[in-house]
Amino acid sequence: DLDGAFESAHALKGAVGNLSLTLLYDPLVQITELLRSREDTDYSELITEIINKKTELDNLCKYNQAILYVIRKNYIKRHQ
């Protein structure tokens, strides 16, 4: 269902763009434009890239949460 896939990819691209998640934005632009042109191609490589970029972003978020935890812990320790 190329129409449904296009609508989903386009909506996701918009949300990712609004959040400035550039890591995911470029491959979403590529897949959205291919779907817009109703290109009959194997999308698995782009889908895999998007999944990998999402995993990379998830890991970055976990890393940032760990850093914030340490900062918060040190701040509380100093201000008790």
Side-chain angles (χ1 to χ4, degrees):
D1 176 20
L2 291 178
D3 291 331
F6 167 74
E7 292 298 325
S8 296
H10 188 260
L12 185 56
K13 180 189 82 158
V16 165
N18 286 338
L19 294 170
S20 298
L21 300 173
T22 54
L23 193 63
L24 283 170
Y25 188 75
D26 289 339
L28 282 168
V29 167
Q30 291 174 1
I31 201 167
T32 300
E33 293 311 312
L34 286 171
L35 289 164
R36 183 189 311 274
S37 66
R38 303 189 56 75
E39 187 77 29
D40 187 22
T41 188
D42 181 5
Y43 292 93
S44 60
E45 192 173 310
L46 274 172
I47 292 168
T48 299
E49 182 180 354
I50 291 166
I51 291 168
N52 289 341
K53 295 294 184 183
K54 189 220 176 267
T55 300
E56 193 176 329
L57 186 61
D58 288 344
N59 291 336
L60 184 60
C61 289
K62 288 176 190 173
Y63 177 74
N64 284 342
Q65 287 176 339
I67 289 173
L68 287 174
Y69 173 79
V70 170
I71 290 169
R72 191 176 308 126
K73 186 176 174 183
N74 287 331
Y75 176 82
I76 291 170
K77 187 187 259 186
R78 288 183 181 157
H79 292 89
Q80 286 183 339

